[in-house]
Amino acid sequence: MTIKVRRPIVKDMPNYGGSLDRVFQALADGTRRAMVQRLIRGPVPVSELARPLDMSLPAVMQHIQVLEACGLVRSEKIGRVRTCRIEPDVLRTAEDWLAEQRTSWERRLDRLGDHLLDDPGTPEQGSL
């Protein structure tokens, strides 16, 4: 009997100093995802960002603070107007991590498919 030692499914991934955790925690909230979606189109004043949301301006500011804390958003105040903009490099880091995960799982599923096709005990497709 041969025992194969398999690599663990979850492997150590770089967390970019914990910043990736904060980005995904920030994006876990639907309101903040909506804000990010809007900001991807370009910078916008907080009042405009808040307009479609059913919440007070202080509540919107709290969401913006969470997005700023993880680095996804930067804001700048000029006079009485605070304008927010997306930080594309931070968003790209999360996107890159997700792409790595997708690629890894696709490879694993391809290997599983190959294994199932090679297994003589597996019923052929259409014979069920």
Side-chain angles (χ1 to χ4, degrees):
M1 174 186 264
T2 305
I3 298 175
K4 288 185 178 181
V5 177
R6 293 219 172 273
R7 288 180 289 146
I9 291 176
V10 178
K11 56 185 176 179
D12 293 328
M13 294 294 295
N15 190 20
Y16 309 97
S19 63
L20 199 54
D21 285 345
R22 289 191 304 273
V23 168
F24 284 120
Q25 286 171 350
L27 292 174
D29 182 86
T31 298
R32 291 191 288 268
R33 284 193 308 273
M35 290 176 162
V36 168
Q37 281 183 301
R38 171 52 192 94
L39 290 169
I40 287 172
R41 291 184 271 156
V44 64
V46 170
S47 59
E48 186 179 325
L49 194 59
R51 191 170 297 131
L53 304 173
D54 187 27
M55 63 181 62
S56 67
L57 196 54
V60 169
M61 287 304 299
Q62 286 181 336
H63 284 289
I64 291 170
Q65 288 172 351
V66 171
L67 292 169
E68 285 182 317
C70 73
L72 271 172
V73 170
R74 287 217 194 277
S75 68
E76 175 183 42
K77 189 170 185 177
I78 299 176
R80 295 179 56 190
V81 178
R82 180 170 292 281
T83 302
C84 296
R85 72 182 80 260
I86 197 78
E87 285 294 322
D89 290 341
V90 176
L91 197 56
R92 204 168 294 117
T93 299
E95 181 183 11
D96 291 347
W97 185 86
L98 288 169
E100 288 174 25
Q101 300 312 299
R102 183 181 65 234
T103 301
S104 175
W105 277 105
E106 286 172 350
R107 271 190 260 121
R108 288 181 181 133
L109 290 172
D110 287 346
R111 285 196 320 256
L112 175 61
D114 292 344
H115 174 73
L116 292 174
L117 288 174
D118 292 342
D119 187 357
T122 304
E124 290 185 28
Q125 197 172 17
S127 65
L128 292 175

